[in-house]
Amino acid sequence: MDSKMTIKKAACFFCHNNCGVLVYVQDGKVAKITGNPDHPASHGFICQRCVNAIKWLYHPDQLKHALKRIGARGEGKWQQIPWEQALDEIAEKLSSLKDKYGPETLIAAEGTYRSDHFWARSRFLNLFGNPQNLICPGMICFCNDYTIEMAMLGSLVLDDIGKTKCVVLWGANPKEARLTRWRTLKRRIDNKDKRDIKVIVVDPLISDSAAYADMCLQLRPGTDGALALGWIHVIIGEGLYDREFVDKWTYGFNKLIERVREYTPQRVAEITGLRPEEIVQSARLYATSRPACIDRGVSTDQLGLNSGRVEQARVILGAITGNIDAPGGDFMSGFPLEIDGKRLKSDSEFELADRCSKETRAKMIGADRFKLMSWGSWEIVAPHYEKQRGVPCPNLHYLIVPTPLAMRQIITEKPYPLKAMITAASNPVMWAPNTPLVLEALTHPNLELHVVLEYWMTPTAQLADYVLPAASWLERPLCSTVEDWTTLAFGGERAIKPLGDRHEDYQFWRALGIRLGQEEYWPWKDLEEVVNDRIAPLGISYEEFIERGVLLPPRQEFKKYEKNGFATPTGKIELYSTVFEKLGYDPLPYYEEPPESPVRTPELLDEYPLILNTGGRFMPQFHSEHRQWGIGLRESHPDPLVTIHPETAGKLGIRNGDWVFIETARGRRIKQKAKLTKHILPNVVNAEASWWFPERPGELPSLFGAFESNVNMLTIDEPDTLDPLTGGWCNRAMLCKVYKMEE
Ligand SMILES: Nc1nc2c(c(=O)[nH]1)N[C@H]1C(S)=C(S)[C@@H](COP(=O)(O)OP(=O)(O)OC[C@H]3O[C@@H](n4cnc5c(=O)[nH]c(N)nc54)[C@H](O)[C@@H]3O)O[C@H]1N2
Ligand SMILES: Nc1nc2c(c(=O)[nH]1)N[C@H]1C(S)=C(S)[C@@H](COP(=O)(O)OP(=O)(O)OC[C@H]3O[C@@H](n4cnc5c(=O)[nH]c(N)nc54)[C@H](O)[C@@H]3O)O[C@H]1N2
Ligand code: SF4
Ligand SMILES: [Mo]
């Protein structure tokens, strides 16, 4: 006889949305998944990824046991061992490497936000005596913005798209990348009788998100900084700024006026390829539609040299138009969730930043050159943050090492050896720039220990010494503030017990910590205990939390600065950044050409006449995930696509669906399938990122086809091309050529 079906209220974690789902469980197995109609944020919505979650979970290739390498790295020879044994061995090796080379010899790698317990990594490193040597895509994925905003106004800002009168989709494609936000926007756009929102799109590719735009600015890739400075020029010049706000709440306005004088519409038009009138009109539309907000996508984080300055200029735009923390503007987010004067425990309270000594902090890789995402800047910003919010300033997503430096350091051992690496929820062979260098580093004998925590045997896992199977969102509970970026908490319960010998990443860090003498710091036996600890101060029970799905503040507070000012050294929004100044950087924004461009490197144009963008999100896949056949997701997007204008394709003899090579001045080429569309600028192509092929041979040299269509074979990572503020590299606006593959 069948046992009873139970319904678990879980939260999906196939992307950053954490939609509420109902998981029907029978005999310990997931039988059915639907959206939770009562969920206060997602209201029953789930996307194709979640619809196929059962096939994903029970896919035969999912790892269920710990693996220890027995052949050479990348040879694909493994021995199955118990998880506990793997941990004993890893702890012993790590301990001996620590004794020999110091605790800084360990480097961690992490993916984009994929669980609610990344703080456990941060806690472990602080206790281990490591200076937060972490590589992750953060500095090319919003964490750079975060540190810039923290320096300038002491808070993260997020666009308030639900209430705004004008949204600028600045290099962002919510239709493919952020589905719940797209639904909000689409509802407002589609309201034909009473449409009360203007949309401005800044993007070389006019995607479906842009079809409803009031203005589309198809700029030359990588020239966003010039456009933003041009807007500031127009807004100040035409007196369209908010005088009262500027006088009362900003610092350095007169110096800003001086700086933007040179960014006339005429000059900006020459740089961006837009018409001067377009620049003036769009600046007016943005500045006169109050409230307005800027929905920045990830593309401006991926411009190398000028990235940080684009973000600085974006914050300035919000500030001078009085949109910072105004309803419908750029909302100051991430204040701890408080209900009736009681406060949810934030991620940062788990990190133990004070355990990291001054001497240790100084050892963080690259901290002397790329200063904004290191302890030096954190120490300036943190006291203001802590005074205002009453909680520690996060280490998570603030302290990140530039990947290109770390990869070089593994190989050169300068300034000190990196002997051990722990990679959790990340596939750097796919995401990191300059894949051949990543391969060299991860197969280098200098690296004596590499542990990967994963669901699948990926190209990165294949190069490890130990691969430990991770428990997924269906096998763990959730309490997420999105790493303190929001003022709410998403909750979800564990639907089933972890399959096989799978464990949450939290359990890995805890078990490793306990083996290395950190026992007293890991009191929570499981994640349920962590969730309970976090919500305990609110006086809400676990059951109630799960039932509610999301805890929200009683009301959304705006203009929070009116109470205590901005959490910056001057108490104001620093248009002229005293934090940048103190760190030795230009305090004001400026435009600089991308490291490789028709203007900076015209000598390359004969050979590489096209501008190459990489990335470009698409449904249903999430980064390098969901490539396995049989889940129902690869089936609907089986091949890597490069978007090309039909005119350009015509000249090259390329038809829709042809396989083509894309080649850059780095002398390497990859293949993708041509997708022709008039919506892209004729001299620009966009190649999808993160492509590997689980069906190909796993061992080197194929490594699951990790080098065939992977755009990071083509990207630039020379230290001189990185954003001087953050060390972020350039994934967009490079030069390339495209040609048809012969049969
Ligand atoms: N389906 C799906 N959704 C995802 C993800 C996924 O992998 N798949 N990843 C998640 C993650 S981690 C992130 S960071 C977000 C990113 O989400 P988005 O920020 O939307 O990222 P993209 O689609 O890569 O880029 C957005 C737009 O930038 C444009 N662009 C390229 N170069 C430039 C430029 O130089 N200037 C300007 N102004 N625009 C440019 C592209 O044409 C594209 O339309 O998506 C998240 N959501
Ligand atoms: N050229 C180019 N490169 C890019 C980009 C681009 O636009 N262009 N985009 C960049 C951006 S914005 C990002 S965010 C990165 C994405 O980089 P990552 O976030 O590292 O994404 P993935 O490469 O998919 O690797 C994530 C891995 O984690 C595993 N995983 C998922 N959840 C968990 C979990 O809870 N625990 C464990 N242990 N494993 C888990 C998945 O199976 C997957 O293999 O790529 C970056 N790289
Ligand atoms: S949008 Fe899709 S993948 Fe993302 S959380 Fe919601 S259901 Fe899951
Ligand atoms: Mo990202």
Side-chain angles (χ1 to χ4, degrees), residues 583-605:
L583 294 171
Y585 293 108
D586 188 335
L588 289 164
Y590 54 85
Y591 173 67
E592 182 166 11
E593 277 290 315
E596 191 176 82
S597 82
V599 176
R600 186 189 286 273
T601 52
E603 70 282 4
L604 293 177
L605 276 178

Side-chain angles (χ1 to χ4, degrees), residues 15-16 49 112-114 140-142 169-174 176-179 202-207 217 219-224 296-300 302-303 613-624 680 686 690 732-733:
C15 86
H16 300 161
R49 285 189 283 258
T112 187
Y113 169 62
R114 275 195 180 76
I140 56 149
C141 175
F142 301 107
L169 296 180
W170 199 306
N173 184 9
E176 303 291 330
R178 282 169 298 167
L179 305 183
V202 181
D203 199 313
L205 175 72
I206 299 305
S207 65
L217 304 177
L219 78 180
R220 170 163 71 90
T223 61
D224 302 77
R296 85 293 202 156
V298 83
S299 48
T300 49
Q302 305 190 346
L303 301 176
N613 280 342
T614 71
R617 287 0 180 206
F618 55 90
M619 283 299 287
Q621 285 134 8
F622 194 74
H623 293 299
S624 74
I680 195 161
N686 186 86
S690 307
R732 319 237 166 175

Side-chain angles (χ1 to χ4, degrees), residues 327-398:
D330 302 307
F331 176 68
M332 277 165 51
S333 183
F335 283 74
L337 173 66
E338 258 188 52
I339 303 173
D340 300 332
K342 291 173 288 183
R343 206 186 68 207
L344 179 92
K345 206 165 168 183
S346 64
D347 282 43
S348 65
E349 289 174 84
F350 289 90
E351 292 187 281
L352 307 180
D354 54 350
R355 297 292 307 228
C356 190
S357 70
K358 199 107 194 126
E359 302 76 64
T360 300
R361 290 175 181 188
K363 291 184 188 152
M364 190 179 174
I365 300 165
D368 51 341
R369 177 163 179 191
F370 302 98
K371 299 181 191 154
L372 202 65
M373 303 190 73
S374 69
W375 289 99
S377 120
W378 187 89
E379 283 168 359
I380 304 174
V381 166
H384 302 285
Y385 182 98
E386 296 179 8
K387 188 166 161 225
Q388 187 158 91
R389 304 195 184 203
V391 289
C393 180
N395 288 178
L396 273 173
H397 55 245
Y398 200 116

Side-chain angles (χ1 to χ4, degrees), residues 149-150 152-156 249 324-325 332-336 338 343 381-393 559-573:
E149 290 161 357
M150 290 283 272
M152 292 175 72
L153 54 84
S155 174
L156 169 78
W249 292 112
I324 298 289
D325 219 27
M332 277 165 51
S333 183
F335 283 74
E338 258 188 52
R343 206 186 68 207
V381 166
H384 302 285
Y385 182 98
E386 296 179 8
K387 188 166 161 225
Q388 187 158 91
R389 304 195 184 203
V391 289
C393 180
K559 303 203 174 180
K560 297 180 277 292
Y561 51 85
E562 283 181 344
K563 223 185 292 164
N564 294 311
F566 289 91
T568 60
T570 56
K572 297 183 175 190
I573 301 181

